[in-house]
Amino acid sequence: MVSHGHVSLDHERVVARRGERSGATAIVAIHSTRLGPALGGVRIWSYHDDAEGLHDAIRLSAGMTLKAAAAGLELGGGKGVICMPEGGFADAEARRDALLDFGDLVESLGGDYVTAEDVGASPEDLVTIAERTSHVTGLPADRGGSGDPSPLTALGVERAIEACLEERFGSPDPAGRRIAIVGLGHVGGALAGLLAERGADLAVSDIADASRERAGELGAAWLDPATATESECDVLAPCALGGVVDHASVHRLHCGAICGSANNQLADDSMAAELERRGILYAPDFLVNSGGLINVAREIHGYGAAEALGMVEAIGDSTRRVLARARSESITPLDAARDLASARLGEPERPAADATLPRLVA
């Protein structure tokens, strides 16, 4: 067993089960149901061991509580994980078995947890999970769902970027602004398309060399994935995995603001204060990237495309309020965004600005 760092385990329920069909470990972490059922996608990933997968579920589910609360949703936070063998599942049948096992685990929780798409999972995977449980959202449109939420996640990030540009440079217009997008997956690719249409000076990066073709289509400069976060830019938009700002990388940043779709962009909360000291504006990821969550959340109570779009558009206004409060009270945007979430959760007010807050990630 290896150590994966410290996380604060204030969860309502954490369940891990080895699948009867697949033998793969499935995990669900329910952080909070105070505002409603815990919603959070299922991550399908190859981990060093099951303990690492458990750590991932625990930290990500806590972030989902903040995201749902800050977005004004009547939902709690949860996360699912399927620990995939190194190198992937042996074949399609093995993958299907693991998905069915996960569906059984979700069903056993009696609706306290609702699953959706996350890293490594697809809408088609959700269809398989739905064979074993009704507590699934984000299904393809031909199965009664709203389809891929990535475009709405990207739209929410674009609105948050506008708020950051306005706060940092005085205008929300991305035209001519150097924006570096790290990760050209579903969300990063959609975001790049939106910003290219508005005349942003784009620089992009992805670990997949095939994404170079997409960069060419967008007229974007290509960045070396190993050093992409160090690029000189007005806005750095991390849109892949988290932890990109840590004690080493924070001193190599050359951006005016950080605003992207990746979860848990800060390796730990102390990075928020360090970014502030360096004069780098940080838009908290759980506020910025909630568009997809808002979209799939609307399915639970009856989907309305116009209502979902309106809530996603409002991410820009929420980001402006958070940034304005941070400025006026001399606190970090992370503190201000947490205050917004805590107010909805009915939690005590944030301690003094120089106090050490509980960590969201290890």
Side-chain angles (χ1 to χ4, degrees):
M1 185 70 68
V2 296
S3 172
H4 302 289
H6 169 75
V7 290
S8 175
L9 185 55
D10 55 352
H11 290 56
E12 293 179 9
R13 194 174 182 186
V14 179
V15 182
R17 179 184 297 176
R18 192 167 300 282
E20 293 182 1
R21 301 173 186 84
S22 64
T25 298
I27 301 165
V28 171
I30 298 175
H31 180 256
S32 173
T33 57
R34 185 175 300 181
L35 297 177
L39 175 61
V42 55
R43 178 164 293 192
I44 305 175
W45 199 254
S46 292
Y47 295 97
H48 178 79
D49 57 20
D50 290 350
E52 187 178 23
L54 179 63
H55 179 276
D56 218 14
I58 288 170
R59 70 184 181 88
L60 289 168
S61 59
M64 292 302 294
T65 296
L66 291 173
K67 186 184 298 189
L73 301 174
E74 301 300 320
L75 292 168
K79 206 67 172 183
V81 160
I82 297 174
C83 297
M84 184 170 58
E86 185 177 356
F89 293 106
D91 50 37
E93 191 61 31
R95 184 183 184 90
R96 173 177 168 79
D97 285 345
L99 294 169
L100 293 173
D101 287 335
F102 182 76
D104 286 339
L105 175 56
V106 173
E107 182 65 19
S108 73
L109 298 173
D112 285 347
Y113 167 70
V114 180
T115 198
E117 185 180 350
D118 194 11
V119 175
S122 68
E124 291 70 30
D125 289 333
L126 296 182
V127 172
T128 301
I129 292 170
E131 293 180 26
R132 304 299 302 175
T133 182
S134 61
H135 305 300
V136 181
T137 187
L139 290 166
D142 62 359
R143 297 300 182 104
S146 59
D148 183 8
S150 299
L152 280 183
T153 303
L155 177 62
V157 177
E158 181 190 23
R159 294 293 173 264
I161 286 176
E162 290 173 348
C164 288
L165 289 172
E166 187 172 3
E167 177 72 19
R168 187 72 171 78
F169 303 107
S171 170
D173 189 357
R177 290 292 178 188
R178 182 74 163 183
I179 301 178
I181 300 176
V182 181
L184 281 183
H186 290 302
V187 177
L191 176 64
L194 291 172
L195 292 170
E197 289 178 1
R198 299 186 61 188
D201 177 15
L202 285 182
V204 299
S205 177
D206 196 278
I207 58 173
D209 283 339
S211 295
R212 281 179 178 266
E213 184 177 344
R214 175 62 174 153
E217 294 170 355
L218 293 167
W222 181 259
L223 300 172
D224 182 345
T227 56
T229 58
E230 302 169 22
S231 172
E232 187 168 340
C233 56
D234 295 314
V235 179
L236 174 66
C239 293
L241 296 179
V244 296
V245 181
D246 58 24
H247 293 275
S249 66
V250 70
H251 301 292
R252 298 195 295 267
L253 297 174
H254 299 283
C255 55
I258 297 176
C259 182
S261 67
N263 288 313
N264 301 321
Q265 292 166 27
L266 307 185
D268 66 63
D269 291 350
S270 68
M271 294 298 97
E274 186 60 34
L275 289 172
E276 193 81 3
R277 281 191 287 272
R278 294 209 55 215
I280 297 173
L281 186 67
Y282 169 63
D285 48 62
F286 64 83
L287 179 68
V288 169
N289 66 15
S290 59
L293 177 67
I294 290 168
N295 186 63
V296 297
R298 299 313 309 158
E299 291 185 26
I300 297 175
H301 303 295
Y303 187 70
E307 183 179 7
L309 180 60
M311 293 180 70
V312 172
E313 291 277 3
I315 290 172
D317 293 333
S318 298
T319 305
R320 285 182 176 86
R321 287 195 296 271
V322 162
L323 297 179
R325 180 175 180 180
R327 172 171 27 86
S328 66
E329 297 186 11
S330 298
I331 59 176
T332 69
L334 179 60
D335 283 339
R338 278 190 166 152
D339 284 351
L340 175 66
S342 295
R344 290 206 67 236
L345 290 164
E347 295 178 346
E349 291 188 5
R350 172 181 46 84
D354 61 351
T356 299
L357 291 171
R359 284 185 168 189
L360 175 60
V361 294

